Amino acid sequence: MLVVVPKTDYSDWQKTYETLAEMVVPRSTKQLFEDNDSGLFSVTLFRKAVDDFRHKARENKFTVRDFHYNEEEMKADKEEMTRLCTDKKKQFGPLVRWLKVNFSEAFIAWIHIKALRVFVESVLRYGLPVNFQAMLLQPNKKNMKRLREVLNDLYKHLDSSAAVIDASMDIPGLNLSQQEYYPYVYYKVDCNLLDFKV
């Protein structure tokens, strides 16, 4: 029989499983699987002791699971697993190629949108004729504050209201509550796409 035992009761299981019914084979338990909360143990006993064992196990907070061995089903399951593994291997190469092509297309489109936003925001902020230069900077995290200070000192003459504006003030049309405002146009490009935020 298969029995689910909570992790906290492993020692109780080892001490008591042989005495839960009269016809349990001594030292027959083996741990087959374990997850975060519990473990799956097998135990061998005679058929006429099954009901008594199931009842006593339930009293001791051990959950007995029904398992019927069928060789044909086991063989069919193994064949299904091998078929699924070969299908996975066949589809892996084309899927990786498809992802490489489509990811690069999506990333290029995303960067173009960022460039368009920089251009439009610069024209709206500083007017025509167009006289600005776009840059892509990648500072270390520890140098980010220093870079902000240097950029603010260099470009504070472009927008004098940036020094006066407090981020806690809510001025209609500026959306200060959603993003920080600087005297230069700033958009963050987060390229670390493997850090998923749940």
Side-chain angles (χ1 to χ4, degrees):
M1 298 191 75
L2 298 179
V3 183
V4 177
V5 180
K7 272 192 173 178
T8 55
D9 297 337
Y10 279 6
S11 60
D12 292 344
W13 169 254
Q14 294 293 342
K15 291 175 191 172
T16 61
Y17 81 93
E18 294 175 355
T19 59
L20 291 178
E22 286 186 13
M23 299 187 175
V24 176
V25 177
R27 298 183 187 156
S28 64
T29 190
K30 289 182 184 162
Q31 185 175 359
L32 303 175
F33 180 76
E34 183 179 48
D35 63 6
N36 295 335
D37 303 326
S38 57
L40 182 67
F41 287 84
S42 67
V43 64
T44 306
L45 60 146
F46 286 91
R47 285 193 188 174
K48 56 181 157 181
V50 167
D51 291 332
D52 190 33
F53 181 83
R54 188 185 307 261
H55 179 68
K56 293 278 178 83
R58 193 176 300 127
E59 287 177 1
N60 287 305
K61 299 180 182 172
F62 305 134
T63 308
V64 178
R65 296 282 184 222
D66 291 326
F67 176 75
H68 301 289
Y69 182 77
N70 186 342
E71 196 164 334
E72 292 176 6
E73 284 184 15
M74 298 291 276
K75 188 177 178 183
D77 286 346
K78 283 185 180 179
E79 289 174 1
E80 180 73 14
M81 284 299 290
T82 54
R83 187 183 65 77
L84 289 173
C85 286
T86 56
D87 285 352
K88 179 186 166 190
K89 287 177 184 175
K90 283 180 193 173
Q91 294 173 3
F92 185 76
L95 179 64
V96 169
R97 285 191 295 277
W98 181 84
L99 284 173
K100 282 182 180 179
V101 169
N102 290 307
F103 177 79
S104 65
E105 290 290 326
F107 192 81
I108 289 168
W110 182 54
I111 295 299
H112 277 95
I113 290 171
K114 290 283 188 184
L116 284 171
R117 287 183 71 190
V118 167
F119 179 79
V120 170
E121 182 69 25
S122 299
V123 169
L124 290 174
R125 219 188 260 195
Y126 307 118
L128 291 172
V130 176
N131 186 11
F132 69 89
Q133 180 177 4
M135 287 181 242
L136 186 64
L137 302 174
Q138 185 179 7
N140 294 336
K141 285 189 177 184
K142 60 183 178 182
N143 295 336
M144 187 67 123
K145 188 175 181 181
R146 177 74 182 128
L147 177 64
R148 286 257 184 257
E149 292 170 0
V150 170
L151 289 173
N152 280 332
D153 287 342
L154 282 174
Y155 299 113
K156 65 183 172 187
H157 68 281
L158 295 176
D159 192 357
S160 58
S161 64
V164 177
I165 292 176
D166 181 15
S168 63
M169 289 174 38
D170 191 17
I171 300 172
L174 281 181
N175 291 332
L176 291 175
S177 58
Q178 288 148 4
Q179 66 184 27
E180 298 173 2
Y181 185 80
Y182 303 104
Y184 49 89
V185 177
Y186 163 77
Y187 288 107
K188 183 177 180 183
V189 179
D190 193 5
C191 292
N192 195 2
L193 302 173
L194 294 178
D195 287 346
F196 297 110
K197 293 169 186 163
V198 180

